[in-house]
Amino acid sequence: MPALYGSFRGPSATGRYTYRGKAPVAREDRAPATSEHDKLIQSLAAHKQLLSQATSAIRALTAARNEMIAQALEDGLSVATISAVTRENMRAVRTIGLAYGDLHPSGLSRSAHLEALKAKSADLHTAEEHRGRIEERREALIAMALRSRACDDIELASLTGLTPDHIRKATRRIRRPG
C-alpha cells in the first residue's frame, strides 16, 4: 500500500482543494469610488434582508388570515361577506375554504369572526405596503449604483438576489454615463 500513496506528489497529495486563482485586488488599487461602492453594497444588503423579513411576515400573516377565512366559512359566514371584509375576490375565498377541509365549528360569533378578519386583513395590507416601500428604495439604490457606475448588472444582481436580466429590464429607462 505505501506504493499507492507514494505515487501522489505535490500540493494535492492530501486530496484537498488548492485555490489557484488570482490574489484579491488590494483596497488601494480599486476605483476611487470605493466608499460609495461600499455604502451601496451595505445598503443593498440591508434592503435585501429587510425585504426577506417583510416577505416572511407577509407569508405568516397570509397563512393566519387564510385559516381564519376557512374557519369563518366553516362557522357559516357567507363567501360574499368574507370577500367584502378581506378585500379578496369570492373565488379566492372559496378556494381558501376548500383548502382547509378538516375544520370543525369553533362556536365564535359572526361579529368575532368579522373583527378578527378585518384586523388580520389590515395587518396584511400594512405589511404589503411596507414591502412595496422597501422595493421602491431598492430600485432607487439600483438606479443610483448604475448611474454612478459603482456596480455593474451582474454585481447588482448578486447583491439584490435578482437576476441580471431583471436588473437590465428594470433599469432600461435609466441613463447610464458614458
Side-chain angles (χ1 to χ4, degrees), residues 31-43:
T34 303
S35 63
E36 181 180 346
H37 182 263
D38 291 343
K39 288 177 186 177
L40 280 170
I41 287 175
Q42 289 174 350
S43 295

Side-chain angles (χ1 to χ4, degrees), residues 15-33:
R16 293 184 182 160
Y17 175 77
T18 304
Y19 179 72
R20 293 187 175 103
K22 296 178 182 178
V25 177
R27 283 190 159 297
E28 300 83 32
D29 297 342
R30 283 190 189 170

